[in-house]
Amino acid sequence: MGRIEWSGRVVPFPQDVAAAYRTEGLWGTLPIAAEFRAVAEKHAARNAVVTSDGRLTYAELDEWSDQVAAGMVELGLEPGDRVLFQVTNRLLTVVAWYGVLKAGLIPVCTLAVHRAHEIGTIAERTGAVAHLVESGTRGFDLVAFAEEQRAEHPRLRHLLTIGASPESTGTRIEDLGQHLHPDDAREIVDAIQAEIDPDDVAVFQLSGGTTGVPKVIPRLHAEYWYNARAYAEAWGWDETTRNGHLIPLIHNAGIVCGLHGPHSVGGSLILATPDLSEALPLLAASRVTDVLLGHGHYNAVRLPEFDQLAASLRTVVLSGAKVPLPLFERLEELGVWSGQLFGMGEGFFAVTPLDAPREARLTTVGAGLSPADAFEVLTPGTEEPVADGEVGELCCAGPYTLRGYFDAADHNRGAFTSTGLYRTGDLVSVQTFGADRFLSVEGRLKDVINRGGEKINAEEVEVLLLRHPDIINAAVVAMPDERLGERSCAYLVGRGDPLSLPDVQRHLEGLGVAKFKWPERLEWIDEMPKTAVGKIDKKRLHAQIATRVEDERRALA
Ligand code: AMP
């Protein structure tokens, strides 16, 4: 079995630790595509994926993705090559995902809303050679964009599309491998899979980052599949599970909870889009048993269409923000069990155990997903544990938590404790319920804004703002928002007349920055408030804007 030559850019799990995870029955010995194949053979006739643009059984998905993989090989793509995924929740997205994995290629999980600034940086950092985009996305031509990116970054030589017309530029996933006999395609895939080391990189996820620019997270075959299987087991899933997913699939939660989770046990993914008016009817018609709702979709339960969905629902998993009591009670009224998920692209998940008491389900995110998860809550900046009930930084390690960011040796030195626990940058407290120790999310240390699940790295945006000649100093902070949880507000010190919000947004658009990162409010000040050690006092700015937003809300009410 061959490993890709990473020249030290990927930090492996220590061999004895990996061996122990296998002895304990946590990690398997196969790459992800081979794990998928084993499930597909066992549950061939069951639906693997259902979307508004079609459905595929396991047998159909397995066969089609074999052909796509073989077609990628014909294009000259080689195992270990990186493929940027910039696609939304479509049937072909799932086919392409497994096709890429089957060809031994590494998907890079970028967002459909990323633009030149992000795609350029990520393409360079991961060394991507192919760019998969979707045709017909509302308001923005991703295919034309991919053409521009290809011209800009010569290494990005393959343009792949889904949903494009036959005359369109690039190679259509729909056409790949179609002339091949399924048996021949399978033979090509099997030969590639036999060479993949299960502890090698399977997927690159992007991190919102704790400091500086966003980082790349290498997820490895065995640990990533284990993450998904453990998630499925936590909710008691099996082949009868119909799991609804409506947030972006090509994201860590999408892949682990939406796709690999149900597929690890032969269940179905009912893949909708984030638009509730389209999603709820599809989920209800498919008699979904389980659904994950991010903060941006908490309001779904108040819609009349949700009642119909509730008829088949067993479990709602809530994630991203504190659970409001009325939401929790509404689900109880509908007879639907709700629990919580706290998770990150870097690995660690906490989930509510199925037998947790009501209070714990409402107020905590539960406990580590795996019996082998280890965590400590430390006083920030130290290695001193805080007492249960006190707030500190969550630091963790375990069978699906990264050992290092990709190609980031310097950053990695500060990202882990001396005992190898990953410093999450999240503030939590431990709440005890009898012998159980559950986590409650209390805030964060990291300088990130969580806009409805999309993370905005404040420092990244500040650097871009400072490229405007009339901006002297910039501090981007979170401001509370009822629907999205947080939006970003920029405190700015300027030269001359203050720029308007559209001026600043146009500046960032000109730099090719994804729209969700543009500040949605500006506050012009003469001077940045400083802390005792001379850093910008962001806590104070955050508190100030939170009060201001609340006062404005009251005045309007
Ligand atoms: P991502 O890697 O994009 O999935 O983001 C992970 C981060 O999202 C975590 O480190 C937390 O800061 C935040 N997060 C995830 N789940 C929750 C939750 N249930 N409540 C509050 N914040 C969360």
Side-chain angles (χ1 to χ4, degrees), residues 227-550:
N227 189 175
R229 196 162 45 77
Y231 185 77
E233 281 167 8
W235 306 123
W237 287 358
D238 62 18
E239 69 277 12
T240 62
T241 297
R242 291 182 300 278
N243 179 45
H245 193 84
L246 60 167
I247 49 185
L249 189 72
I250 304 298
H251 215 268
N252 188 54
I255 297 303
V256 175
C257 313
L259 182 65
H260 291 173
H263 284 182
S264 70
V265 291
S268 315
L269 160 63
I270 316 302
L271 183 60
T273 66
D275 180 346
L276 286 175
S277 64
E278 286 172 24
L280 291 179
L282 174 70
L283 300 184
S286 309
R287 299 189 32 258
V288 154
T289 56
D290 295 72
V291 72
L292 169 67
L293 293 181
H295 184 246
H297 284 129
Y298 280 6
N299 63 347
V301 305
R302 285 199 232 122
L303 301 175
E305 294 86 344
F306 194 84
D307 294 11
Q308 204 195 334
L309 171 59
S312 62
L313 267 184
R314 201 183 56 112
T315 304
V316 171
V317 178
L318 302 164
S319 184
K322 291 255 179 249
V323 173
L325 182 61
L327 162 65
F328 187 79
E329 288 180 338
R330 175 77 189 125
L331 288 167
E332 282 185 323
E333 231 172 71
L334 291 166
V336 179
W337 185 95
S338 68
Q340 298 193 39
L341 158 70
F342 166 88
M344 59 192 70
E346 284 83 355
F348 185 81
F349 274 29
V351 292
T352 310
L354 290 175
D355 59 358
R358 181 179 185 275
E359 181 68 11
R361 289 198 286 119
L362 172 63
T363 60
T364 78
V365 294
L369 184 61
S370 169
D373 277 326
F375 74 84
E376 288 189 37
V377 183
L378 304 178
T379 301
T382 76
E383 299 205 351
E384 288 301 313
V386 302
D388 284 359
E390 302 286 315
V391 176
E393 182 179 16
L394 174 68
C395 298
C396 49
Y400 57 100
T401 294
L402 90 171
R403 293 293 172 137
Y405 288 102
F406 178 65
D407 196 14
D410 284 347
H411 180 76
N412 285 338
R413 273 187 276 282
F416 294 83
T417 66
S418 61
T419 55
L421 300 177
Y422 167 64
R423 291 185 178 276
T424 64
D426 288 304
L427 291 170
V428 300
S429 65
V430 169
Q431 302 297 323
T432 49
F433 290 83
D436 292 322
R437 297 172 80 236
F438 295 152
L439 294 172
S440 163
V441 181
E442 309 288 356
R444 71 178 90 92
L445 286 169
K446 53 192 172 192
D447 203 2
V448 167
I449 292 134
N450 187 347
R451 186 185 189 277
E454 297 306 355
K455 311 301 180 302
I456 303 169
N457 187 296
E459 192 178 330
E460 181 190 13
V461 181
E462 287 157 6
V463 169
L464 294 161
L465 287 169
L466 288 173
R467 285 171 62 180
H468 194 290
D470 295 337
I471 296 176
I472 298 172
N473 209 345
V476 173
V477 296
M479 62 179 168
D481 181 76
E482 212 164 312
R483 194 172 70 81
L484 294 168
E486 296 174 3
R487 292 179 192 266
S488 82
C489 167
Y491 275 86
L492 299 172
V493 179
R495 205 187 316 270
D497 289 339
L499 302 165
S500 68
L501 183 61
D503 286 338
V504 170
Q505 294 182 336
R506 264 192 301 275
H507 162 70
L508 294 175
E509 186 176 21
L511 294 174
V513 179
K515 189 171 180 181
F516 74 92
K517 296 181 185 171
W518 302 354
E520 291 170 88
R521 176 170 179 149
L522 304 180
E523 293 287 323
W524 291 93
I525 49 180
D526 295 333
E527 207 181 326
M528 289 290 171
K530 296 278 169 62
T531 63
V533 292
K535 283 194 179 167
I536 294 179
D537 191 349
K538 284 204 164 176
K539 253 194 192 155
R540 193 155 131 199
L541 295 177
H542 172 65
Q544 191 182 80
I545 194 66
T547 312
R548 233 171 247 181
V549 168
E550 179 56 20

